[in-house]
Structure formats: structure tokens, C-alpha cells
């Protein structure tokens, strides 16, 4: 079955960097669109970025320039490089996969069928 396992979260000071990873298994990862979302306490889950099988990307406008999504199709792993972190980036970060190989995905939650359990990122000032 589909499994998405995030790692790499932690606590960092403002201005620091983290790289999140998402290990994927149980589906045709190479041809499936993938995304990162985040959810802060008391807030709705919001999109961070998506990357399609052709490596094209879409970013939430407010995060573009600080965050970079990438994928390694040999290692079945999705990444999120986060730089210049701010306290408002504190959230649980989730990896997500589209339902079907070849399906397009962007920044809407309903474009994704599978979700990981999340990894916590805490940024202190």
C-alpha cells in the first residue's frame, strides 16, 4: 500500500535552514505528482509546493524564494529545502501524493489522495 514517511523536522532558530525528506513506497512514484503542505496550530492546512513527474514545480507565492521542492526518482524520495526560516513557518509539514500516475497536481488539497503523518518544524525567534 501507499506509504509516505516524512523526516528531517526539528527545532531551529530564526534564519536557519532545514531539509525535509519524504520516503515514498507502494506506488509508481516516478510518474506521480507530489506536494508539501503545512498546518500550524489552529489554522487550516495550506500548500507549500508541488512537483510533477516532469520536475515542473509550483510554489505558494509567499514561500517562493525561500523554499525549494525537489524529487529523487531513483531513491523514491521527495525533499523540501527550507532557508531563512521564520517563526511563522512553525507547523507540521506533510508530504502528499496525487491519486494517479500522470495526474496533475498543484496547490489544492483535493488534488492529492495520499498523505504522510507529518514532521514538526519549530522556528524560534
Amino acid at each position: 500500500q501507499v506509504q509516505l514517511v516524512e523526516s528531517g523536522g526539528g527545532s531551529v532558530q530564526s534564519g536557519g535552514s532545514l531539509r525535509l525528506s519524504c520516503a515514498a513506497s507502494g506506488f509508481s512514484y516516478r510518474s506521480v505528482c507530489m506536494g508539501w503542505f503545512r498546518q500550524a496550530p489552529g489554522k487550516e492546512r495550506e500548500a507549500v509546493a508541488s512537483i510533477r513527474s516532469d520536475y515542473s514545480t509550483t510554489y505558494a507565492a509567499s514561500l517562493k524564494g525561500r523554499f525549494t521542492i525537489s524529487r529523487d526518482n531513483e531513491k523514491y524520495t521527495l525533499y523540501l529545502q527550507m532557508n531563512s526560516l521564520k517563526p511563522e513557518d512553525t507547523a507540521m509539514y506533510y508530504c502528499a501524493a496525487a491519486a494517479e500516475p500522470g495526474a496533475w497536481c498543484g496547490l489544492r488539497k483535493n488534488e492529492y489522495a495520499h498523505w504522510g503523518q507529518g514532521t514538526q518544524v519549530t522556528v524560534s525567534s
Side-chain angles (χ1 to χ4, degrees):
Q1 70 276 22
V2 174
Q3 278 200 314
L4 300 170
V5 181
E6 301 95 336
S7 62
S11 296
V12 63
Q13 288 196 327
S14 183
S17 298
L18 283 173
R19 188 174 83 153
L20 306 183
S21 299
C22 171
S25 61
F27 64 103
S28 302
Y29 174 79
R30 291 188 179 95
S31 55
V32 170
C33 188
M34 301 290 295
W36 285 101
F37 285 74
R38 68 184 186 181
Q39 187 168 16
K43 295 190 176 181
E44 288 202 7
R45 192 170 297 190
E46 63 175 1
V48 174
S50 66
I51 184 166
R52 289 162 285 280
S53 57
D54 64 357
Y55 297 94
S56 61
T57 57
T58 303
Y59 290 90
S62 61
L63 300 176
K64 193 172 184 178
R66 293 194 299 121
F67 289 16
T68 303
I69 190 172
S70 62
R71 64 191 298 162
D72 186 330
N73 283 351
E74 298 304 314
K75 295 182 178 179
Y76 275 46
T77 302
L78 180 72
Y79 300 102
L80 183 68
Q81 178 67 43
M82 305 186 294
N83 299 327
S84 302
L85 283 162
K86 305 174 182 180
E88 52 263 43
D89 294 319
T90 294
M92 187 73 80
Y93 284 72
Y94 297 91
C95 166
E100 301 285 342
W104 193 91
C105 68
L107 301 180
R108 291 189 285 190
K109 293 188 291 290
N110 62 8
E111 292 169 333
Y112 298 85
H114 308 288
W115 296 82
Q117 293 300 305
T119 186
Q120 178 67 38
V121 171
T122 302
V123 185
S124 58
S125 56

